[in-house]
Each structure stands twice: as C-alpha cells, then as structure tokens.
Amino acid sequence: MVFGTIKNVGIAAINSIVEEREKNGKYENFASFCERIQDKGINKKCVESLIKAGVFDDFGKTRATLLASFEGIIDLINNSSKKVMENQVSMFDLMEEEEAIETKKYVFVEKSEFEEKELLSLEKEMIGVYISGHPLEKYRELLEKMTNINTLNLLKINADMEEFGKTVEYKDNQNVKYAGIITKIKKKFTKNNTIMAFVTMEDLYGSVELIVFDSVYHASQNALLEENVVLVEGRLSIREDEPAKIVASVIKDLNGNGACQEGGTGKIGEIICDITHLSEEAKTKLRGAIKFFSGDRANVKFGILQDGNTKPCGGIYMTKEILAQFEEIVGKEKIILK
C-alpha cells in the first residue's frame, strides 16, 4: 500500500511517521503510535483515515474499535502534554498524570469488526482500490455463469480497435450481459429535457462505463445505487476513437433478487420511518441523521410515513450500526424495512 495516497493523509504526514519510526523504533501498539506522533502535526482526520485504510490491523484491535476509541486516546495524550507545557502540574502531579494516562489510554471501546463488505467499502473510500479482498470474489463462479462479457473482454476490444481498427470476437450493437458493482453515477439532462446517466461499474478485473437512457433510468432507479451489485443487459457500443461501452436496456439488482444475498439475510432496499406521533425533538434528530447519512454513498432508499402518507426522502448510506441509530431516534417499532 502506498500510504501517501490515502485520503486525508498526504506525503508530509507519512514522512513524519516514517522518520519517527526510523529514529525511535517500530510502533508497538496504537496508543504508542498516538503518543509518538502527537507533536508531528498529524491531525485526527489523518489518523481516522489510516484506521479506515487498515494501516493498524496488525495491532490486534478491530477497525471498529479503533474508530470508536482514537479521539479519546488522542485527547488524553494532548491534554496531558498541554498541562506540562503550561506548568500547571507539579512533579508529583505529573507522575500521577502519567500513571493515569498509562491506565486510561489502553481502555478501548471494544467493538466487533465491521462486516467484510463495509471493510472493503472503507478501503475503497480511503485508497480508491480494494486491498484485503474484493466484494465480488465470493460470487465469481455465479457471475461467470450469468454473464457473457467482462472488463478483460472490453480491454481486449479496445486493444484490437487501437491496433487493427476492428475486433473479431465482439461486434458493435451485440447483445451482452455484464455484472459488477456500481461505483459512480453521473446524471445529466439531454437537450430534450430527458435524463440520462453515465454509470461507472467495476467487476473483478477493472471498470467500464455504462450508458443509461431515460426510460431505462426510471425503470431501474431501485437498482441504481452506489455500491450495489447489478446485472446489466444491453448492447455493445464499439467506436474507433473511444473505449468500448455498454448501452443498458435492463438493470437488475442482484442483491435484492437473492442472487447475491449474504448469509441468507438479503439486503434492505428501502427504509420507511413512521413519524406520525413522533415528538418535535425526535423529528429534529431524525432530520439531522438523514442529512448526515445521505450523499454519494447512498445504498438504500429512505422515506417518511405520516398519517398514512409516504414521502420519499432520497437515498442514504445504511449499515447495521447506522440502522440502530435510526431505531434509537424513532423507536424500532417505527422502522419499516423493505
């Protein structure tokens, strides 16, 4: 892993971390790391990103535990150093303070590790690639049976077109089936005021661009969510001066239809909160939670039910832990999963 490429980290921070290690020896544990870098200009956001990227996995703590604990550990270390610098403690107090740090800094908020899919998602978010595995690996055999083209085939088409000006195995407008993970969705309006989308998808071998026109886009909105695994039926678009693309005609949600369900639990496609008798305070908290967890990483639809009427609120990013937060705000009995 090239640590300097991790989001929110940068080369300067990595150089400081490496310099400290070369000068004073390897980092023995996470708390030791925090102590030794606390005056190196490395902020919490940087440490958080390193945790998400899996940099500290060898220290014996889950990433979930470190994410729940790192701010308290850093605050304790920084506050102690600040008191010493400001001469607010005597030598006796300093000894007590150091003993308190030694006792407290290793008290982590122990949490079970995130599910594999979420760990991989964190890696992709921080580094841009999957490091410890690939979300589709466990479905390799199944997806090979369901499809007749993958990114390797598309790369071969591009190479043939560049070298020979033609391709033998595949033809322009040929019907194909492709499966992968949606990594990016870019929507735009056409001159006719209809919507279309350019969808970047990734399989086990690389990525491809999918063209989705208005009718297909509206018919496939439930499946068109980032990090969703989908099967695409469409046709090849092969042109001399641009990479091969797939023009979609049907997009199916493989998570939702059972083809790629994990552990028999399936996947939540939509969440509806019943706020009919919810207090104003709880409604305020709910609005804040929806705003905080919405955005480009949305993986489920979200709606509000009030007095028998349901209003869609767009998409949000949802995990078991985040779902628990919504249940705490409105009550588990008020959450409807679809």
Side-chain angles (χ1 to χ4, degrees):
M1 186 193 304
V2 182
F3 295 122
T5 64
I6 300 173
K7 186 178 179 181
N8 304 317
V9 176
I11 299 298
I14 294 302
N15 287 341
S16 296
I17 293 169
V18 172
E19 183 181 345
E20 166 62 23
R21 185 190 64 197
E22 291 177 346
K23 182 179 178 180
N24 296 308
K26 68 178 184 178
Y27 300 103
E28 297 294 338
N29 52 57
F30 180 74
S32 169
F33 171 85
C34 292
E35 283 181 347
R36 291 167 58 180
I37 57 91
Q38 60 102 9
D39 61 348
K40 307 294 183 185
I42 297 171
N43 60 30
K44 290 180 180 179
K45 196 68 178 176
C46 175
V47 175
E48 180 183 23
S49 295
L50 291 172
I51 294 170
K52 289 180 176 179
V55 171
F56 305 113
D57 284 2
D58 289 341
F59 285 159
K61 297 290 184 183
T62 67
R63 292 185 211 178
T65 294
L66 294 180
L67 286 173
S69 310
F70 79 97
E71 290 188 281
I73 292 171
I74 292 174
D75 286 344
L76 183 63
I77 293 169
N78 288 344
N79 289 339
S80 175
S81 297
K82 184 178 179 181
K83 286 183 180 179
V84 173
M85 292 296 292
E86 293 177 353
N87 295 318
Q88 292 181 356
V89 292
S90 65
M91 184 61 68
F92 180 75
D93 291 330
L94 178 59
M95 292 173 63
E96 284 189 333
E97 183 75 21
E98 288 177 344
E99 288 177 2
I101 293 176
E102 285 298 320
T103 302
K104 293 179 182 177
K105 69 183 178 184
Y106 297 113
V107 180
F108 289 83
V109 182
E110 299 288 350
K111 289 185 174 291
S112 300
E113 189 55 288
F114 297 121
E115 293 181 1
E116 181 188 26
K117 181 180 178 181
E118 190 164 359
L119 285 176
L120 293 174
S121 177
L122 289 174
E123 292 174 0
K124 187 71 181 288
E125 178 190 358
M126 291 297 108
I127 311 167
V129 295
Y130 299 111
I131 297 295
S132 56
H134 196 286
L136 294 180
E137 183 60 46
K138 65 181 71 176
Y139 311 124
R140 179 190 291 269
E141 190 174 331
L142 173 65
L143 296 182
E144 285 177 354
K145 293 178 181 178
M146 299 176 69
T147 61
N148 61 6
I149 197 167
N150 58 41
T151 303
L152 286 180
N153 303 135
L154 293 164
L155 291 173
K156 179 65 164 55
I157 292 172
N158 295 336
D160 287 348
M161 291 297 295
E162 185 175 343
E163 185 173 357
F164 307 114
K166 64 179 181 179
T167 181
V168 177
E169 189 174 355
Y170 293 94
K171 296 179 175 61
D172 185 42
N173 282 325
Q174 178 178 337
N175 292 328
V176 292
K177 291 184 178 181
Y178 175 89
I181 299 173
I182 296 174
T183 59
K184 185 178 180 181
I185 301 173
K186 182 179 180 181
K187 294 175 285 188
K188 64 175 292 185
F189 285 93
T190 68
K191 293 179 180 179
N192 297 324
N193 203 34
T194 60
I195 197 168
M196 68 177 297
F198 296 94
V199 178
T200 304
M201 289 187 58
E202 180 179 313
D203 62 12
L204 288 161
Y205 312 105
S207 61
V208 64
E209 187 174 76
L210 193 71
I211 300 174
V212 184
F213 289 111
D214 187 76
S215 60
V216 179
Y217 178 84
H218 286 291
S220 309
Q221 285 190 77
N222 289 343
L224 284 172
L225 298 168
E226 288 193 12
E227 298 192 11
N228 211 16
V229 181
V230 298
L231 174 67
V232 178
E233 297 178 21
R235 60 178 179 83
L236 272 178
S237 174
I238 303 175
R239 300 288 183 269
E240 282 191 30
D241 299 325
E242 56 185 70
K245 299 178 176 65
I246 298 175
V247 180
S249 56
V250 178
I251 302 174
K252 299 177 181 178
D253 184 342
L254 289 185
N255 281 323
N257 70 13
C260 291
Q261 291 179 357
E262 298 185 35
T265 59
K267 177 185 174 181
I268 301 168
E270 183 177 9
I271 293 177
I272 297 175
C273 281
D274 186 349
I275 64 168
T276 302
H277 301 294
L278 205 62
S279 68
E280 288 303 316
E281 181 182 359
K283 287 180 181 178
T284 300
K285 290 182 179 179
L286 180 61
R287 283 192 291 269
I290 294 171
K291 183 176 180 180
F292 184 81
F293 292 114
S294 65
D296 293 339
R297 294 183 65 209
N299 58 3
V300 300
K301 294 194 298 180
F302 194 87
I304 294 296
L305 174 65
Q306 186 169 19
D307 298 324
N309 297 314
T310 301
K311 177 184 177 182
C313 298
I316 62 173
Y317 178 66
M318 183 60 64
T319 66
K320 289 182 179 178
E321 290 77 13
I322 295 172
L323 176 59
Q325 293 186 41
F326 278 92
E327 290 174 343
E328 184 176 342
I329 293 172
V330 303
K332 190 171 183 178
E333 71 282 357
K334 299 291 185 179
I335 300 286
I336 303 167
L337 306 179
K338 294 186 174 181

